[in-house]
């Protein structure tokens, strides 16, 4: 009974909760590593045979789906027959998904595990990351929070340059999305009452499985322990039999889908103990990742720190729709803090307990997902990694966005438009387009209600990191809040003239049903009322021909007999003046901290010092995100240069350009190097009272500019109106002497 | 024993916690009301006599302070004698503070209570506020959070125009403070471990006193109940005897300083019961206003949502000082969410449970609080309300900032500089300078360690609201975190050449002290080591002359006898290369939500419609904060105008100007009125394909501008480079016809 099942599953959680910004990279089929190391997409023989199995299984799924459709279409087929066919289809789908996961796992393992080149790559990545992180921490891009109190895992501060980068990223986000699309920006509190997150599914399902050291009480993520165990075995135990290797790889592949019982059984079977003490572990149990608190003084009103910003938008849908003149489509946006009480945070800035999200909810008529501005992005071409490529173990490839939508690879224009806009956003920030891909979710990753879902993944030393999720979530969220709050969150389409429609009327007889089912009456009534049109008409026909019919009630989990006097089913003609519907929502959701961390890695490089005995660190930030746009250095410590430097500083402040002025006597080369390391694009050196030099960070080229013009030249370049190459043409070049660089 | 006492009191809380953004207005002596009503500063006869008492008491305080000083300077005076004199001084100070409070209370009561003009003023204020709030809610400037679930008291969302105003205020704050002063901005998490807030004093002292309905468990703020009772009595009970009137006024005045026991006794004495049920109330007990939560999965690591952003800066002092090249002064800044779990939030947007703070911590050498840019603000003149004016029941008056610092009314240049910069910030936002005053804290409002403290108070329909606190907090916060963390948070001043200094060396003999005091030995040792130089030298002299001396040990709360062999005291000469000291901090702290709410009230006005049968709402925001800078209206719905409108819209987007385009067929007058109501400063009407009109919101004047020029004209005005008057000169005026306005 399709509709009844749908009702049962509507209480499913916002499944994004578990997938968005969850384990990075390991889900994505072929993994190509840190760009200086060749990516491996080789598959072994067992991979080949798995893919053949998958092809066979998918054919079986298609055939069974056809069978179900024709059964449903044929009159007089009993519900139990249909039910059996649907069950068989479900079983086939699960088997197919299982093979898909095994393909993933063997690809991952081929990339990750014991091969010596893989190990070398891992060492190189680790060293690169250390170099970046050392520079970031030393120059206070970020600081472990509460460091003087030995810190708290998963909490970080942005220090001055990091904070400036973040402010620049957010300002550009507002410009690129909110202003450009005329989005409605809102700002909701982090403290959220329980009922809202109950409706969204977070209270019940936003969990990770945890085990405790039975003696010390130390907590661990159950899947981490199991995965670490399997990976270590695979890497270090040369005596493993092939069957064992296959088994361990399979466990890694299906990790996300194991129940607490299955996880617990594996932990027992492998004899896994607490890593620090070797004590026994408790059975796995779900730990809710939300920070809980109490609102008001009574202690009776439970609340949580929001795990995402989206819910604040959904609960305001009605007001926002009104604000938009009761017209669709429109988008609302929100930037704000979100909180996830991770069991054991790893991976530095990528997995933290508090982070900034920027989310867009674009509300659209489910029957029309076209986008008026799709033409603006249709010619973009960039790395996409559609489902098919992942399952056939290919790599991401350059695809034309217009074609991807035309061919149905991307579900609809609006989704495609946002994918294109996200691509432009990230690359304009400074993300390397060759280390950015859009990966489509596999069927087993997606929520049952989602129409399509793509992640913008950025490759860094940790692998491919999910930084933006772009999902067509259908009507799920608005429906969930409508139901819980009793406030209809719907849109209206007024017809120019009334339309005559046939409407299904189902009237269960409560009296007869009560006599027949007593305490279960309510569930039977609800199941009857929830039938789809075709199901109801089927039942009507069966009741008229046979007088009774078998009926599966999902909430009772059994089949009951419905008799003719228990329900009346009819079609009535009505005039309708409007269509009332729940809008679909397309949601691009940005993990700002992750984007910033990847940006740090992509912009970082080293170059030798003048004497070649030292490597100098450079962050090659585009002016748009550079924390400080320019420096002012008097060449030598004399008063007249100081005066000029201060005059220039004042002009820069007036022009709104963030800058620092360094009047220490340090050599000019050292001062350049010091500010290259925090990514300052331009340096002004005052070496006369009439004209000064401007130096470009990356090329180290210099031009000579009049003192009175210098602020406007800097503004031109840092605002993006001109490039360095443009101004190099306009102004005389200043020859660089050896004394100029460190 | 001065130093020992100081040590005892250093564990006092960050007293700002209780005063900053606490009860608005009622502490400030003379209250002038909503500007359309004359402010009352009349004092009755009892007020006059109180002021005479105060003058007498203050003379006594001064005399006693002199006496203590001369006692301490005289050799051979016993510690107990000094102690007694200090106690007498303390008593006099408390009596003086008590009289000051009574003066405040009688002034407040004169303004607030039963006089009929006061009641009329209250009605006017209430009606005005309703008009503002209706417009704000209807146009989604803000929305009660989680409205479809019936909301949560004290939580509000900013809807699209409110969110835009907030973003503009914060952007200007960054420009005006962070960029202009080269401040180090940081961004720390809201989730904060207990130890940090233990050190700051919040865990122990950030409380309000609460009572519970003994049957239903409903919670109330004890001081609110008592105050409401007193005010109602004063307003409604005409039979009150003069003594009773005086008593009730006194209770209101000292409300903030009552202990739980005193509050409970008053509640019992007056027979106050729960307002809703008339049930008995529990005794008052402290309720901590922080939202508590648990960090990590174990449940063992307690944390709180930060009640202010400042602590994140203090704990990073060492890194920030290093980042600044180990130089003072420098300032760090932070914008972020703060959380206070109010017992019963009142006053709409002014007292909420989650809000945005913008805080600056300016670190400075306590021996040099001059400010190099003080000259930039020295000529400013604005409303100040120094301590003396409050205590003598005068009003705030215009004072020249340079003079206020020169005369010592404002403690130092740096504090004065920030007061001036805050004045410029608020008035440039659009706060009416005649409804803005800087009020100095009275001695009893200030923390014991604070050097001076001023609040920027803005007058709105709720009275004078504290929106920015500007405090010289001395070294308190850094010292508290140094002590708790064991990490020295200090600055260094390197001497150009070493200086010879005499240093006090106190060496208690633990053996002798152990024999004499056994278990108390440790406390005596600490007390001896904590003596100041003068105290130690006094003791040395006494021991040499008499062989023994009485010594008060604060931690034992008793006087002990110290003999000559128990301690050796000497002065030794040493060479020092640097001075090590804890910097003072000057802290301007901005309640962004409060500033925005007051701005709404100050910018709101009504004007009659064309037909005079209706009042139209206008928010006269300056372009700087206007949520949308401009609208684009095709005069009539024809394609060629739509095309021009879209071309203009594109040019505006490119110029980064937020705008809306309204192509509905509504009359142009109605469209103007609709956008006046959300404060859009400029409206472009497309009435031809070559030139268009621009209308100014407040004057309703129009000019005619070429289509290709229009975006740059709008940018000029909204960026603040030109005023409307400037562009009126440059472009031809477009005559306004009656059809143009609603």
């Amino acid at each position: 009974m399709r509709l009844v099942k749908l009702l049962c599953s509507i209480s499913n959680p916002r499944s994004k909760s578990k997938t968005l910004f969850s384990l990075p990279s390991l889900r994505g089929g072929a993994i190509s590593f840190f760009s200086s190391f060749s990516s491996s997409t080789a598959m072994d023989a067992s991979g080949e045979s798995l893919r053949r199995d998958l092809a066979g299984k998918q054919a079986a799924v298609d055939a069974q789906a056809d069978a179900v459709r024709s059964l449903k279409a044929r009159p007089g087929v009993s519900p139990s027959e249909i039910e059996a066919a649907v069950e068989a289809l479900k079983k086939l789908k699960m088997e197919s998904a299982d093979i898909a996961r095994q393909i993933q796992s063997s690809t991952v393992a081929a990339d990750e595990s014991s091969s010596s080149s893989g190990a070398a790559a891992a060492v190189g990545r680790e060293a690169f990351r250390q170099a970046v992180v050392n520079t970031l921490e030393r120059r206070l891009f970020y600081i472990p929070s509460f460091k003087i109190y030995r810190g708290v895992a998963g909490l970080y501060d942005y220090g001055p340059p990091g904070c400036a980068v973040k402010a620049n990223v957010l300002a550009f986000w507002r410009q690129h999305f909110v202003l450009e699309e005329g989005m409605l920006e809102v700002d909701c509190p982090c403290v959220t009452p329980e009922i809202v997150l109950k409706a969204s599914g977070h209270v019940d399902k936003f969990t990770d499985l945890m085990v405790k050291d039975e003696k010390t009480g130390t907590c661990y993520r159950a899947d981490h322990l199991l995965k670490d165990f399997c990976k270590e075995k695979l890497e270090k135990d040369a005596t493993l039999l092939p069957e064992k290797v296959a088994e361990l790889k399979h466990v890694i592949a299906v990790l996300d889908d194991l129940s607490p019982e299955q996880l617990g059984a594996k932990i027992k079977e492998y004899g896994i103990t607490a890593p620090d003490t070797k004590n026994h572990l408790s059975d796995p149990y779900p730990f809710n990742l939300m920070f809980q608190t109490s609102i008001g003084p009574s202690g009776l009103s439970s609340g949580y720190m929001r795990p995402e910003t989206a819910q604040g938008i959904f609960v305001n849908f009605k007001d926002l729709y009104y604000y938009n003149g009761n017209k669709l489509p429109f988008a609302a946006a929100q930037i704000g803090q979100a909180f996830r009480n991770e069991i054991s945070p790893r991976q530095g800035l990528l997995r933290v307990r508090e982070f900034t999200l920027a989310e867009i909810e674009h509300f659209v008529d489910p029957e029309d997902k076209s986008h008026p501005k799709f033409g603006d992005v249709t010619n973009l071409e960039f790395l996409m990694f559609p489902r098919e490529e992942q399952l056939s173990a290919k790599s991401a490839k350059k695809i034309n966005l217009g074609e991807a939508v035309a061919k149905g690879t991307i579900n609809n224009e609006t989704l495609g438009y946002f994918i294109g806009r996200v691509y432009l956003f990230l690359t304009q920030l400074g993300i390397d387009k060759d280390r950015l891909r859009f990966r489509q979710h596999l069927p087993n990753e997606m929520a049952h209600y989602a129409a399509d879902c793509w992640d913008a993944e950025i490759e860094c030393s940790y692998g491919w990191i999910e930084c933006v999720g772009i999902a067509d979530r259908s009507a799920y969220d608005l429906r969930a809040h409508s139901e819980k709050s009793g406030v209809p969150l719907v849109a209206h389409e007024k017809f120019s003239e009334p339309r005559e429609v046939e409407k299904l009327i189902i009237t269960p007889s409560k009296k007869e049903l009560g006599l027949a089912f007593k305490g279960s009456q309510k569930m039977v009534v609800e199941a009857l009322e929830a039938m789809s049109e075709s199901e109801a008409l089927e039942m009507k026909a069966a009741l008229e021909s046979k007088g009774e019919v078998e009926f599966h009630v999902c909430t009772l989990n059994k089949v009951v007999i419905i008799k003719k006097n228990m329900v009346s089913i009819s079609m009535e003609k009505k005039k309708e003046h409007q269509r009332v519907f729940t809008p679909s929502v397309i949601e691009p959701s940005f993990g700002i901290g992750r984007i910033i961390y990847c940006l740090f890695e992509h912009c970082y490089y080293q170059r030798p010092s003048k004497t070649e005995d030292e490597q100098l660190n450079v962050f090659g930030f585009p002016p748009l995100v550079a924390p400080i746009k320019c420096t002012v250095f008097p060449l030598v410590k004399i008063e007249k240069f100081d005066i000029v430097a201060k005059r220039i500083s004042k002009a820069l402040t007036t022009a709104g350009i963030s800058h620092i002025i360094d009047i220490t006597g340090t050599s000019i080369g050292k001062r350049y190097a010091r500010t290259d390391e925090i990514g300052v694009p331009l340096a002004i050196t005052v070496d006369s009272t009439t004209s000064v030099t401007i130096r470009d960070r990356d090329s180290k080229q210099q031009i000579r500019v009049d003192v009175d013009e210098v602020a406007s030249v800097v503004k031109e370049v840092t605002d993006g109106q001109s490039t360095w190459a443009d101004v190099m043409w306009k102004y005389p070049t200043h020859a660089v002497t050896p004394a100029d660089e460190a």
Side-chain angles (χ1 to χ4, degrees), chain A:
Chain A
M1 302 279 93
R2 202 175 53 80
L3 237 183
V4 177
K5 241 180 291 150
L6 207 71
L7 276 181
C8 296
S9 62
I10 206 126
S11 64
N12 276 7
R14 181 164 160 83
S15 93
K16 160 192 164 177
S17 323
K18 288 207 66 174
T19 62
L20 182 67
F21 307 133
S22 62
L23 268 182
S25 90
L26 297 189
R27 306 178 319 208
I31 302 272
S32 79
F33 277 138
F34 174 57
S35 61
S36 58
F37 303 88
S38 68
S39 65
S40 154
T41 55
M43 288 272 292
D44 57 14
S46 83
E48 271 308 318
S49 87
L50 278 172
R51 265 208 306 290
R52 271 196 302 277
D53 289 359
L54 180 63
K57 198 63 81 181
Q58 280 185 324
V61 168
D62 293 345
Q64 185 65 20
D66 284 344
V68 170
R69 265 191 295 276
S70 62
L71 268 179
K72 283 187 170 174
R74 216 181 320 146
V77 178
S78 82
S80 61
E81 260 180 280
I82 298 179
E83 187 77 10
V86 168
E87 281 307 313
L89 175 60
K90 272 171 67 178
K91 191 161 167 286
L92 283 168
K93 277 187 175 171
M94 280 172 67
E95 287 165 3
S96 159
D98 194 41
I99 300 173
R101 271 187 229 108
Q102 287 183 54
I103 294 178
Q104 280 177 259
S105 84
S106 57
T107 323
V108 171
D111 271 351
E112 273 210 342
S113 71
S114 49
S115 83
S116 66
S117 78
V123 170
R125 286 197 307 273
E126 188 63 42
F128 173 79
R129 187 194 306 145
Q130 265 319 314
V132 180
V133 164
N134 284 348
T135 312
L136 290 172
E137 289 208 31
R138 191 162 38 77
R139 299 311 303 269
L140 292 201
F141 278 87
Y142 71 89
I143 309 161
S145 299
F146 316 113
K147 207 167 88 174
I148 63 170
Y149 293 104
R150 281 173 297 280
V152 176
L155 294 179
Y156 294 91
D157 301 342
Y158 287 98
C163 195
V165 169
K166 185 180 167 189
N168 292 336
V169 169
L170 292 177
F172 180 56
W173 193 87
R174 276 210 174 92
Q175 163 79 25
H176 186 82
F177 292 105
V178 179
L179 183 64
E180 177 74 33
E181 315 289 347
M183 291 176 179
L184 308 182
E185 192 179 345
V186 301
D187 182 14
C188 310
C190 302
V191 174
T192 306
E194 184 162 47
I195 190 167
V196 173
L197 296 161
K198 190 89 188 166
S200 68
H202 286 93
V203 171
D204 295 324
K205 305 280 180 168
F206 191 64
T207 55
D208 275 340
L209 292 173
M210 180 160 91
V211 289
K212 267 194 183 178
D213 181 318
E214 283 192 341
K215 284 192 186 140
T216 66
T218 309
C219 303
Y220 303 93
R221 255 182 76 166
D223 57 345
H224 280 180
L225 290 190
L226 183 54
K227 188 177 157 199
D228 291 349
F229 174 86
C230 295
K231 282 180 69 178
E232 205 183 314
K233 268 276 176 205
L234 285 168
E235 278 171 29
K236 299 198 177 153
D237 190 343
T239 69
L240 283 182
L241 297 175
E243 307 88 79
K244 195 70 190 174
V245 170
E247 180 192 313
L248 293 173
K249 286 182 179 176
H250 177 74
V251 169
I252 293 179
V254 300
L255 212 55
D256 280 355
D257 300 304
L258 294 182
S259 70
E261 294 72 26
Q262 290 169 321
L263 252 173
K266 278 284 161 207
I267 286 174
K268 282 227 172 74
E269 182 190 333
Y270 294 157
I272 299 173
T273 54
D276 305 323
T277 61
K278 306 297 163 202
N279 290 334
H280 276 294
L281 293 167
S282 73
D283 286 333
Y285 59 97
F287 171 73
N288 195 299
L289 295 180
M290 291 192 293
F291 284 98
Q292 190 167 12
T293 192
S294 196
I295 304 175
S298 70
L300 302 172
S301 175
S302 187
Y304 300 90
M305 303 312 297
R306 63 180 175 194
E308 57 175 23
T309 68
Q311 303 306 324
I313 296 177
F314 296 135
V315 299
N316 279 323
F317 171 78
K318 210 178 148 187
D319 280 337
L320 294 171
Y321 179 60
Y322 168 78
Y323 186 85
N324 200 51
N326 291 329
K327 283 200 194 69
L328 285 186
F330 73 90
Q334 180 166 202
I335 297 172
Q337 293 302 90
F339 303 81
R340 297 188 189 179
N341 196 7
E342 299 286 348
I343 295 172
S344 50
R346 300 173 168 191
Q347 298 186 306
L349 289 181
L350 294 180
R351 179 158 297 259
V352 292
R353 284 176 165 153
E354 182 177 337
F355 47 95
T356 302
L357 280 182
E359 297 193 293
I360 296 166
E361 310 297 330
H362 180 92
F363 298 101
V364 63
D365 185 338
E367 293 178 9
D368 177 12
K369 293 183 180 174
S370 64
H371 196 288
K373 288 165 79 181
F374 184 64
D376 295 355
V377 295
T378 186
N379 289 325
L380 290 177
E381 205 171 272
F382 48 83
L383 284 177
M384 294 188 205
F385 202 11
R387 211 168 279 154
E388 285 65 37
E389 268 63 25
Q390 295 171 56
L391 291 176
S392 53
K394 292 183 189 148
S395 303
K397 62 179 182 187
K398 280 204 173 155
I399 300 180
N400 174 285
L401 184 53
E403 275 173 35
V405 171
K407 284 187 185 160
T409 310
I410 294 172
N411 184 280
N412 60 70
E413 264 191 12
T414 299
L415 194 63
Y417 178 71
F418 278 113
I419 288 174
R421 293 291 295 167
V422 169
Y423 171 80
L424 292 173
F425 173 73
L426 293 173
T427 50
Q428 282 175 42
L429 280 184
I431 293 294
D432 176 1
K433 68 178 172 22
D434 296 325
R435 286 190 275 165
L436 165 63
R437 72 182 183 193
F438 287 80
R439 191 181 70 75
Q440 190 173 30
H441 277 205
L442 295 175
N444 63 312
E445 289 177 90
M446 262 193 338
H448 64 89
Y449 48 77
D452 194 5
C453 187
W454 292 74
D455 289 340
E457 295 184 334
I458 305 176
E459 195 189 27
C460 74
S461 66
Y462 290 104
W464 284 98
I465 303 300
E466 174 193 359
C467 291
V468 187
I470 309 146
D472 181 337
R473 301 179 47 77
S474 77
Y476 176 73
D477 308 280
L478 291 181
R479 282 217 183 101
H481 285 295
S482 281
E483 208 165 275
K484 190 85 179 176
S485 68
V487 176
L489 303 176
V490 292
H492 305 259
E493 184 200 0
K494 289 231 163 63
F495 300 140
S496 45
E497 47 195 69
R499 294 182 192 171
E500 188 160 273
V501 289
E502 276 205 323
K503 267 207 122 170
L504 176 73
I505 309 289
I506 301 174
T507 320
S509 159
K510 289 189 183 163
K511 189 180 147 207
E512 298 296 332
L513 291 166
L515 287 171
F517 302 111
K518 311 224 160 56
S520 310
Q521 181 238 35
K522 192 162 162 273
M523 267 88 129
V524 180
V525 167
E526 284 173 357
L528 286 168
E529 287 175 341
M531 284 189 293
S532 71
E533 191 174 309
S534 66
E535 286 159 352
L537 292 180
E538 231 171 70
M539 180 180 275
K540 182 182 166 76
L543 289 176
E544 276 163 14
S545 61
K546 306 183 207 159
E548 65 176 49
V549 68
E550 284 188 336
F551 180 62
H552 181 252
V553 179
C554 170
T555 47
L556 294 173
N557 196 25
K558 71 174 183 184
V559 173
V560 300
I561 304 293
I562 299 294
K563 296 193 176 147
K564 209 174 168 181
N565 61 352
M566 292 178 182
V567 61
S568 109
I569 297 168
S570 61
M571 295 298 290
E572 287 180 15
K573 284 193 179 168
K574 274 195 158 184
K575 281 214 168 175
E576 286 200 338
H577 297 263
Q578 62 174 3
R579 181 168 75 95
V580 178
F581 60 95
T582 304
S584 279
V585 60
I586 289 169
E587 176 189 83
S589 173
F590 298 70
I592 297 298
R594 289 187 166 193
I595 293 172
I596 290 174
Y597 178 76
C598 291
L599 188 65
F600 288 154
E601 281 206 8
H602 285 203
C603 290
Y604 175 85
Y605 64 94
Q606 290 188 321
R607 58 187 173 197
S609 67
K610 195 168 51 182
T611 50
E612 306 229 326
D613 56 352
E614 203 190 342
Q615 288 293 314
L616 302 175
N617 301 306
V618 185
F619 278 109
F621 298 124
L624 177 69
V625 293
I628 289 158
K629 307 301 179 198
C630 141
T631 51
V632 187
F633 300 145
L635 181 62
V636 284
K637 245 189 137 166
I638 49 177
E639 204 195 342
K640 61 179 183 175
F641 287 179
D642 273 12
I643 292 169
V644 174
K646 278 183 190 147
R647 218 172 87 208
I648 293 173
S649 166
K650 200 152 192 173
L652 291 169
T653 301
T654 308
I657 297 166
S658 68
H659 63 281
I660 41 178
I661 168 165
D662 181 349
I663 54 166
T664 57
T666 321
S667 83
I668 197 74
K670 281 219 176 105
R671 281 186 275 174
Y672 286 152
R674 208 147 67 184
T675 53
D676 290 346
E677 205 179 46
I678 56 169
V680 182
L682 299 176
I684 298 166
T685 297
V686 180
D687 57 358
S688 97
T689 55
T690 51
S691 75
V692 296
T693 65
I694 305 181
R695 169 199 181 255
D696 172 57
R697 174 195 59 212
D698 295 309
S699 67
K700 302 194 225 166
Q701 292 164 334
Q702 299 187 19
I703 54 173
R704 181 160 289 283
V705 179
D706 272 5
V707 168
D708 294 329
E709 261 181 279
V710 68
S712 71
V713 173
V714 169
K715 192 171 171 63
E716 225 179 295
V717 175
T718 56
D719 272 8
Q721 294 153 31
S722 303
T723 63
W724 174 254
D726 297 336
V727 297
M728 273 290 286
W729 274 105
K730 278 211 284 202
Y731 295 91
T733 306
H734 174 76
V736 178
T737 69
D740 278 358
E741 295 290 338

